[in-house]
Amino acid sequence: CIPVDNLRKCEVKETKQRIRSKKGTEGIIDKLELVLYPKDQSTAPNSFEFYNSDDFLQLNGELQLAKKWNGIVKEAMEFHKS
């Protein structure tokens, strides 16, 4: 359980790999995470993995889901700010 009032920041983190194609250089997502950063910067951030190319060949809605949860967490953080 992570109390939202203890969070400083929330973001979707995309780890990409650059590959060459006929169209030029493209970024392919290797890993997709939702990262929650606590207010106490001496505490490590919490990371929730939505996608890892080692486990699945291609994305299947994970990017949209991670962005949705990012919005939900940010909204909750704003609500608990006041």
Side-chain angles (χ1 to χ4, degrees), residues 38-69:
K39 287 180 181 175
D40 179 2
Q41 294 185 17
S42 65
T43 305
N46 291 289
S47 177
F48 298 92
E49 188 174 270
F50 279 76
Y51 171 78
N52 189 324
S53 63
D54 291 337
D55 299 328
F56 301 100
L57 293 177
Q58 64 187 96
L59 289 165
N60 188 22
E62 291 88 353
L63 181 58
Q64 293 83 355
L65 188 60
K67 286 181 178 182
K68 177 182 177 180
W69 275 105

Side-chain angles (χ1 to χ4, degrees), residues 2-82:
I2 302 169
V4 290
D5 56 337
N6 289 343
L7 295 177
R8 169 176 51 95
K9 181 173 136 181
C10 175
E11 70 179 2
V12 175
K13 180 180 175 186
E14 295 179 24
T15 304
K16 292 185 176 184
Q17 173 186 155
R18 292 270 180 225
I19 62 164
R20 290 185 190 182
S21 70
K22 292 178 183 178
K23 297 178 184 178
T25 304
E26 295 183 46
I28 304 296
I29 296 176
D30 274 336
K31 194 173 185 182
L32 183 62
E33 302 169 283
L34 182 66
V35 184
L36 306 176
Y37 297 90
K39 287 180 181 175
D40 179 2
Q41 294 185 17
S42 65
T43 305
N46 291 289
S47 177
F48 298 92
E49 188 174 270
F50 279 76
Y51 171 78
N52 189 324
S53 63
D54 291 337
D55 299 328
F56 301 100
L57 293 177
Q58 64 187 96
L59 289 165
N60 188 22
E62 291 88 353
L63 181 58
Q64 293 83 355
L65 188 60
K67 286 181 178 182
K68 177 182 177 180
W69 275 105
N70 186 43
I72 290 169
V73 172
K74 283 184 173 182
E75 190 175 298
M77 287 170 61
E78 281 297 316
F79 177 79
H80 284 282
K81 226 182 220 184
S82 50

